[in-house]
Amino acid sequence: MISFFAKKNAVRRCRRGELPASICSYVNSFTGRSDLDMPLGKVRYVVFDTETTGFDSAKDSVISIGAVALSGSRIRVEDSFEVLIRRGSVGDSEAVTTHGLLLRDLHEGREEGEAVNGFLEYIGNSVLVAQHADFDVAMINRMLNKQYGFELFNDVIDTASLAKRLEKGPYYNLAHKSGEYRLDILLERYNIRLYDRHTAAGDAFLTARLFQMLLRKAGDAGIKTLRELLLK
Amino acid sequence: MPSNTIVERVVADLQKYPPFDELASDVLQDLAQSVSVTYHEEGEVIFSKGDTLKGHAFMVMKGAVRLFDSIEGKEVLVDLCDEGDVFGVRAVFARHDYVLTAQVAEESLLFELPVDKIKHLLETNPRVSLFFAGAFAKSVEEIEHTLTEAFDIGQRLYREQSCNSFLQNETLEVKPVTTVITCPPDISIRDAAKIMSDRNIGSIIVVSPEKHPLGIITDTDLTKKVVSKPGSIKEEPVSGIMSSPVYTISGGKTIADMVMLMVKTKLRHFCITEDGSPDSPVTGIISEHDIITSEGNNPAVIMKAIMQASSRDQLKEQRDKTENLLQFYIDQEVAVHFISNIVTEINDAIITRAIDFSLKELETELERPDVDFCWLSLGSEGRKEQLLRTDQDNAILYADPPSGKAEKIHEYFLALGKKVTDILQHCGFVKCPADIMASNPVWCQPISVWKGYFSKWIVTPEPKAVMHSTIFFDFRPVYGQAKLAAELKQEIFNLIARNKGFLGFFAKNALQNPPPLGFFRNFLVEKSRDHANEFDIKARAMMPLSDAARVLAYELKIPEYFSTVERFKRLQVLVPGMKDLGAEAAAGYEFLIRLRAVNGLLNASSGRYIKPETLNKIERQTLRNVFSTIDRVQKTLNLRFQLDYIRD
């Protein structure tokens, strides 16, 4: 419901010319009815990951975004995306050891507005997919709010929840054992060899591989349409 | 812009396996970008026999895929592909449906490689095309298409159109053994064994009184069923141990048929009967041995040996073997376009290897300049028409060097040209008496100089210069950056477009040798002492056709590096009024190539000079028809360029 009003508001601002044209084409791509009955094989999914200066979504900021799209169950290398964002800091030493990016790497990065703009242009109204998606979506939303005053309108799938749901059924409560659904563990469980961990694009590609297998599992479990996949 | 990290990831995966392991990184990145990744569970069918070809081939990155044929409802496993194997390549080479079914044997991750990209790689990268030739050759998968298609790659390298006429059905017949030894079912095993050892044969067919096959006894039967058994069963009748029924076929089977049959049935002996059924008399037998010895004349084996050669002596050995193959094909009356494709592929492979060797040798001698180059074959080799080894005609074309480096770079490529031409000479390709070779500083030049040469020939054409330059207009890239050759060709088209007069000269030159229409009344034979009373098939019959085809090909801006036959086939489509004439000229030219090869093999010569009395009646008749075709081609040319108005 909130999203509904936010969308209306954004559309209105676009009409008044208060938002840049490229942002508006993102906003306007959500004005039509989304076809939730689309078969899973026809959907464009964008699997993405962010690297951040830390894990506090209220305080830390995104320093890189990586993404790759699936058209149905097919990962299309051509349809991928990667951006570094110029920042004054790369985070504390713990964050740096995770993402491996140094301040001098970020000099090559783009301004936050430009980066977010590019990302929106790339994702369009596709279904977003991420591992522990809440965090990544919150991080993107923080930038979006700051830059343009709205948040992502896309449908989002969290691979950890989807894996849990497919492995254990929709209402299985594993909150106390969330470790079993960490990306490393999932990848290992699904026999996906680890490489390029902790670069945004590398993790996005690995997550796409995981999501590809989950999609197949979902199909086998009788989930045929986007509506069923999103539990809407 | 796709994500660099992801593209690099895919590059790293591709790079692990041939033929992608040796590609330049920019080429690999371009390929990696076009990849789609798919995941499949066990049992999933990727494509089925009879399905329309897809737009991509597949590479197994993880898991395994089985390829099988279905014969009369039974599955016959043809290949099992696992990590790094490429399958479904048929989409690249064929135009028809899949002939096998691909099913996931264990959960798999596949890379889909777009057909366009592979085709592009085949064009630009000899190593890749060699790999696919080899990959095809090694698999029994599509043996009937293998031999032709694998060697057809070169054919398709630089062009869209292809002559699919020859892909089908052109295979060689396996000659059965017709003096079949048979025995009645009631003789003892001992007697049967004795017949086999007396006659030194590996099998004996057991027949009914009407000579209908009942069963077969082979060496293996004797070992497994008699020798290894305790007790004496040697006195028992052969009917007790024979393999029965015998697999019967009708005669006239090709190697391809037989290999497929062996794969399907897992049998090693096939009995030929009058009507192909077991209820008619035995007329022959084909054993695995017969099939394999036929296969010994397999161009794929020669290709493989060339690819794996480590010395120039090995290259020579394989090129000598090719001569036997040629003899075999000529004897079997295999179609000329098929033969010339194969010989051209083999020649190209030898050149490619000669260049590989030379580049390697040069590593310790000179610094390799960072400049693209392209090895060009010229003249008949450029037109893919060299069946017998004749003079070398080649050149090196390289990108314009950065300023100040011209001399060093020229020195390097000249050294390369010398080494390669030496190796080719060692392999039996005599050096060009006119010294039109890459080892000649004049013909080892950067593209701007080459453009200058053509500009001179085209802008200020002199009859003599035109005559001498025709050989260069038939250049064909064999190694290196084909785009340099394409650029040169484009420049020639531009020059010709700006200098209208040139084509007239070019055409006039093509009419230098009128055909000897009175061939039968008074032979038009050479007067020179060396070849007195011989007929010069090259100058009198082949050149008039190849020259005419070249003129028209340049007039109509045909970009491909075609043979004369291919040029005529294309002209058939492009020139209204040449539909029938083009077909006749193409067929006529093929006949001439064959005649020359037969003559050359007979006399261990280039085959150029023919003694008219050695021709049989049909050959003379055909030759006369070809002459009349040449006459009409020349008339067409004359009319088209209004040559009667051009004066010398």
Side-chain angles (χ1 to χ4, degrees), chain A residues 149-161:
Chain A
F150 65 83
E151 300 188 343
L152 289 168
F153 299 127
N154 305 63
D155 287 319
V156 179
I157 293 169
D158 171 29
T159 40
S161 314

Side-chain angles (χ1 to χ4, degrees), chain B residues 261-335:
Chain B
L261 202 57
M262 278 208 306
V263 172
K264 285 175 197 170
T265 61
K266 301 200 168 64
L267 294 175
R268 293 164 55 207
H269 295 84
F270 301 92
C271 182
I272 298 162
T273 61
E274 266 176 22
D275 68 0
S277 82
D279 303 321
S280 70
V282 174
T283 59
I285 182 167
I286 294 179
S287 68
E288 182 184 35
H289 176 78
D290 302 322
I291 300 165
I292 288 173
T293 42
S294 308
E295 276 278 290
N297 273 307
N298 184 341
V301 176
I302 293 178
M303 271 302 260
K304 199 170 168 198
I306 291 172
M307 286 158 67
Q308 292 171 347
S310 55
S311 74
R312 56 178 71 186
D313 284 337
Q314 288 169 1
L315 291 184
K316 176 177 172 13
E317 188 190 326
Q318 295 309 319
R319 189 55 185 78
D320 291 344
K321 273 192 194 162
T322 308
E323 215 92 295
N324 300 337
L325 183 68
L326 179 62
Q327 178 79 59
F328 177 66
Y329 283 157
I330 294 281
D331 290 346
Q332 296 259 347
E333 301 212 331
V334 173

Side-chain angles (χ1 to χ4, degrees), chain B residues 482-538:
Chain B
K483 65 168 192 265
L484 287 169
E487 185 185 332
L488 185 58
K489 193 145 210 172
Q490 189 52 51
E491 171 74 6
I492 297 172
F493 290 146
N494 295 343
L495 283 165
I496 290 177
R498 286 199 301 271
N499 297 275
K500 299 284 182 205
F502 169 75
L503 282 172
F505 275 93
F506 213 28
K508 185 113 189 150
N509 174 68
L511 304 185
Q512 296 273 325
N513 299 304
L517 280 176
F519 192 71
F520 286 90
R521 282 182 297 277
N522 46 11
F523 287 129
L524 193 109
V525 290
E526 303 309 306
K527 303 273 191 297
S528 73
R529 188 179 303 188
D530 281 349
H531 299 288
N533 297 321
E534 288 179 343
F535 170 66
D536 184 347
I537 190 176
K538 180 181 172 189

Side-chain angles (χ1 to χ4, degrees), chain A residues 2-169:
Chain A
I2 297 171
S3 149
F4 175 76
F5 290 114
K7 213 184 289 178
K8 273 199 111 150
N9 184 34
V11 170
R12 193 178 312 119
R13 289 171 60 207
C14 278
R15 216 174 288 133
R16 290 196 204 120
E18 290 167 19
L19 289 171
S22 62
I23 295 296
C24 288
S25 77
Y26 169 78
V27 170
N28 290 328
S29 71
F30 289 91
T31 49
R33 278 173 53 93
S34 63
D35 182 7
L36 287 171
D37 293 317
M38 195 185 280
L40 295 184
K42 301 255 182 228
V43 179
R44 179 178 185 258
Y45 308 91
V46 170
V47 185
F48 78 108
D49 182 54
T50 58
E51 291 301 322
T52 56
T53 54
F55 296 102
D56 184 341
S57 60
K59 218 174 64 203
D60 287 307
S61 48
V62 176
I63 51 180
S64 75
I65 310 173
V68 62
L70 286 91
S71 132
S73 60
R74 191 171 259 114
I75 302 176
R76 298 187 58 241
V77 174
E78 207 168 17
D79 193 4
S80 55
F81 175 88
E82 184 169 17
V83 71
L84 278 181
I85 301 168
R86 206 175 302 156
R87 297 283 181 208
S89 147
V90 285
D92 57 24
S93 63
E94 196 193 335
V96 173
T97 50
T98 309
H99 57 61
L101 289 168
L102 304 174
L103 209 46
R104 93 176 108 83
D105 298 319
L106 292 192
H107 287 324
E108 321 233 318
R110 303 215 240 145
E111 292 300 336
E112 183 180 281
E114 194 192 342
V116 174
N117 199 336
F119 183 63
L120 291 189
E121 220 166 31
Y122 167 71
I123 61 174
N125 62 4
S126 301
V127 175
L128 293 180
V129 179
Q131 169 72 7
H132 294 308
D134 288 354
F135 176 75
D136 296 279
V137 168
M139 292 305 290
I140 300 276
N141 280 343
R142 213 163 69 97
M143 293 194 288
L144 265 178
N145 257 322
K146 185 171 129 206
Q147 297 284 341
Y148 304 112
F150 65 83
E151 300 188 343
L152 289 168
F153 299 127
N154 305 63
D155 287 319
V156 179
I157 293 169
D158 171 29
T159 40
S161 314
L162 180 60
K164 204 181 294 182
R165 172 178 158 206
L166 292 169
E167 288 173 18
K168 310 283 187 187

Side-chain angles (χ1 to χ4, degrees), chain A residues 67-68 73-78 80-82 191-193 195-196 199 201-202 205 209 212-213 216 220, chain B residues 1-7 9-10 13 16 32-33 35-39 41 44 56 62 107 109 112:
Chain A
V68 62
S73 60
R74 191 171 259 114
I75 302 176
R76 298 187 58 241
V77 174
E78 207 168 17
S80 55
F81 175 88
E82 184 169 17
N191 271 321
I192 298 170
R193 204 157 24 90
Y195 45 70
D196 291 337
T199 64
F205 193 41
R209 294 268 318 275
Q212 187 174 45
M213 294 174 79
R216 173 65 208 225
D220 292 346
Chain B
M1 268 288 283
S3 150
N4 234 351
T5 312
I6 294 175
V7 170
R9 183 63 247 158
V10 174
D13 281 340
K16 282 190 279 189
Q33 269 187 33
V35 162
S36 287
V37 186
T38 58
Y39 165 78
E41 284 180 355
E44 234 179 279
H56 41 255
K62 221 179 118 178
E107 66 167 357
L109 191 71
E112 294 177 348

